[in-house]
Amino acid sequence: MTHIRFTYKTGKYFGRLFAERPQGLVVEVLAVEKHPVQGDLHQPNQVDVPLFHIRTALHKHEKITVSPAVVYAYDGEIPDYATSLRQAYDKDVARLEGLNPETDAFVRKCLENYKELESIYAKRWG
């Protein structure tokens, strides 16, 4: 099995190539490298948007189609999914907490999303 790293929207993942299709490569998620960014992707760092999205990481073994341009060979060890999700989550929360949430509405809103994600992820963390 050849391991890969790939991006999907604003998240980064480890996985494996599952199939090739005319629309792109079908990849299977094995672990999370970077948690997806919260909010509206078309209006980054803005709070006053029609819908401030709560973006979850892709699930373990989820299969998605991506462009070959975002897929890279990876020869390192693939971490455990639950551990990698927790680490990516914790890393982004720590990054946001370091950005002064008291004065930045966008950071506050992202941290609110992460509080909600914590309850969603409780089952994935085990």
Side-chain angles (χ1 to χ4, degrees):
M1 168 174 30
T2 302
H3 290 141
I4 58 170
R5 289 174 65 211
F6 65 95
T7 57
Y8 182 73
K9 298 190 178 179
T10 61
K12 293 184 181 181
Y13 301 89
F14 297 104
R16 72 176 185 94
L17 181 61
F18 188 76
E20 293 185 43
R21 301 274 191 268
Q23 314 87 307
L25 301 175
V26 178
V27 296
E28 178 182 14
V29 176
L30 298 177
V32 181
E33 182 178 7
K34 178 187 172 290
H35 196 278
V37 174
Q38 301 302 297
D40 187 334
L41 300 181
H42 304 290
Q43 298 178 64
N45 302 322
Q46 301 296 314
V47 176
D48 296 324
V49 294
L51 180 59
F52 195 92
H53 296 275
I54 296 177
R55 300 201 178 281
T56 61
L58 297 173
H59 287 265
K60 183 177 183 179
H61 299 300
E62 186 171 350
K63 292 163 189 76
I64 57 162
T65 303
V66 297
S67 164
V70 301
V71 175
Y72 308 92
Y74 180 72
D75 61 2
E77 191 171 324
I78 302 290
D80 170 70
Y81 176 84
T83 302
S84 70
L85 174 61
R86 184 71 206 213
Q87 288 173 343
Y89 172 94
D90 288 345
K91 184 177 181 179
D92 208 35
V93 168
R95 178 187 67 81
L96 289 164
E97 288 174 341
L99 293 176
N100 200 3
E102 295 81 29
T103 60
D104 189 322
F106 176 77
V107 171
R108 265 195 318 276
K109 185 67 174 166
C110 287
L111 288 170
E112 288 173 19
N113 280 11
Y114 273 110
K115 283 190 188 299
E116 190 165 335
L117 283 169
E118 190 167 13
S119 63
I120 293 169
Y121 288 159
K123 291 179 183 175
R124 291 198 219 176
W125 288 333

